[in-house]
Amino acid sequence: MAKYIVRRLLLMIPTVIGVTMLVFFCMSLRPGGVAAAMNLEGNMRPQEREALRQYLNRRYGLDKPLIVQYGRWLNQVLPIGFKYDETGKSTGFGFKVPDLGHSRLRDRPVLGLVAETLPVTLLLNLLTIPLVYGVAITTGIYAARHRGKWFDVSSGVLFFALWSMPVMWVGAMLFGFFASEKYFRWFPTGGLHDTMAEHMKFLPMWTAAGFERGWLLDTAWHLVLPIFCMTYGGYAFLSKLMRASILDNLSADYARTARAKGVGEHAVLLRHVFRNSLIPLITVGAGILPGLLGGSVIIERIFSINGMGNLVIDAINQNDNEMVLSITFVVALIGTISLLLADISYAIADPRVSYE
């Protein structure tokens, strides 16, 4: 297992380099290249424009070939590489503080902005994944055990309908009907907390003035609509996959052999069939987190959540190259780590899996 994990870790390096190289070259080859920001600052004073030009030349080496520019940027964002002083002179090779650049849009270091917004995006995704798998596995098993009955048929129709509805449309409808003042207004219109959340108690309680929902319940209230939008497509698809996998394994030779030896149907399902039926879900799970990170861009925009998705949309609209490149680097890292976790889970669920 250790050898398998080490080899998978080594494969992460070219994957991250490939993703970031593709994005860097696409941004560099567009009109204006990575220095397009200079063309937008028409009202800058000459000394400010010169300072921006020197910064971009020092960071990207704009007078060098494209591959050298990419190498300089990659060296800046990695925690290990060549170190330079303020004059640009090399001071050796070793560990250093990653420099994700400076956001022209927010006038702040990108590292600080990512540190503020990444936990919000990860919170949305870490709440989503257990919900998706919990609902999918439970309904998938129940539908397979009651094949052809009312739950199997009704859940199949419902999940197929959910899977067919685009997230952007569902999010807009939920926002318009359940958060708008014109209709029900059961949920807040945006954000993760009420404006007075800092003054709330952590848990809900009854006071002399009435019921106070507290910080925890207030956060859950704000998360209902965004989390629903991020989960319904996932559990709709995985539930059908789990049902099909359970039915395939229930009719397999090893399951029939277990029944012939007198093992009860409940034990056959839980001890023999369930583990083998998880393999397709683990395979699909490799793409769940990267897909959710992409989907959270839309959700954060609709519900005004200050996460990394909302940040990258603003950066793209305002041509903030440092921000776009750095967030791409962070998302690529998270995506490859999720692939690694999926590979390890796959090897645990099926001992026949090996790197060879």
Side-chain angles (χ1 to χ4, degrees), residues 254-264 272:
Y254 71 89
R256 284 198 296 267
T257 302
R259 293 192 194 95
K261 293 168 65 178
V263 179
H272 302 280

Side-chain angles (χ1 to χ4, degrees), residues 56-76:
L56 291 172
N57 277 334
R58 184 173 65 254
R59 184 167 181 82
Y60 294 105
L62 297 180
D63 54 343
K64 302 288 191 304
L66 205 57
I67 189 67
V68 177
Q69 296 179 28
Y70 170 75
R72 290 173 70 103
W73 172 80
L74 190 62
N75 182 67
Q76 296 275 355

Side-chain angles (χ1 to χ4, degrees), residues 24-54:
F24 186 90
F25 283 4
C26 287
M27 297 189 68
S28 299
L29 294 175
R30 65 178 177 161
V34 294
M38 296 177 64
N39 300 325
L40 298 177
E41 305 295 344
N43 55 353
M44 291 180 66
R45 289 178 293 184
Q47 58 269 32
E48 292 175 340
R49 181 180 291 275
E50 178 61 19
L52 178 59
R53 187 187 66 80
Q54 291 181 4

Side-chain angles (χ1 to χ4, degrees), residues 23-240:
V23 175
F24 186 90
F25 283 4
C26 287
M27 297 189 68
S28 299
L29 294 175
R30 65 178 177 161
V34 294
M38 296 177 64
N39 300 325
L40 298 177
E41 305 295 344
N43 55 353
M44 291 180 66
R45 289 178 293 184
Q47 58 269 32
E48 292 175 340
R49 181 180 291 275
E50 178 61 19
L52 178 59
R53 187 187 66 80
Q54 291 181 4
Y55 169 75
L56 291 172
N57 277 334
R58 184 173 65 254
R59 184 167 181 82
Y60 294 105
L62 297 180
D63 54 343
K64 302 288 191 304
L66 205 57
I67 189 67
V68 177
Q69 296 179 28
Y70 170 75
R72 290 173 70 103
W73 172 80
L74 190 62
N75 182 67
Q76 296 275 355
V77 299
L78 289 176
I80 183 171
F82 294 100
K83 294 182 283 189
Y84 296 90
D85 58 18
E86 294 180 354
T87 62
K89 185 178 179 181
S90 176
T91 58
F93 184 88
F95 290 98
K96 56 187 178 59
V97 178
D99 179 12
L100 298 184
H102 191 87
S103 169
R104 184 181 57 82
L105 176 63
R106 306 292 177 98
D107 195 21
R108 289 182 54 193
V110 176
L111 186 61
L113 292 169
V114 171
E116 289 179 5
T117 55
L118 182 60
V120 176
T121 301
L122 289 180
L123 172 67
L124 292 175
N125 288 276
L126 292 178
L127 290 174
T128 298
I129 291 175
L131 284 174
V132 166
Y133 273 88
V135 174
I137 291 174
T138 305
T139 56
I141 292 176
Y142 194 82
R145 288 290 306 274
H146 301 83
R147 182 182 185 183
K149 296 183 179 179
W150 71 269
F151 180 82
D152 184 28
V153 176
S154 58
S155 65
V157 173
L158 175 63
F159 289 157
F160 184 76
L162 288 174
W163 174 246
S164 305
M165 291 189 292
V167 174
M168 185 178 296
W169 180 81
V170 172
M173 291 297 104
L174 291 176
F175 183 87
F177 283 101
F178 295 103
S180 172
E181 294 182 356
K182 294 183 179 179
Y183 296 97
F184 305 112
R185 202 187 179 185
W186 291 345
F187 299 98
T189 54
L192 284 181
H193 307 287
D194 188 87
T195 54
M196 301 298 292
E198 294 181 357
H199 304 287
M200 293 179 178
K201 301 291 185 182
F202 183 73
L203 295 174
M205 63 178 62
W206 287 95
T207 64
F211 178 74
E212 290 187 2
R213 59 177 178 268
W215 185 88
L216 184 62
L217 187 59
D218 178 72
T219 304
W221 184 43
H222 282 75
L223 284 172
V224 171
L225 295 184
I227 292 296
F228 176 81
C229 290
M230 293 180 68
T231 54
Y232 76 86
Y235 64 67
F237 172 70
L238 291 180
S239 177
K240 301 298 291 179

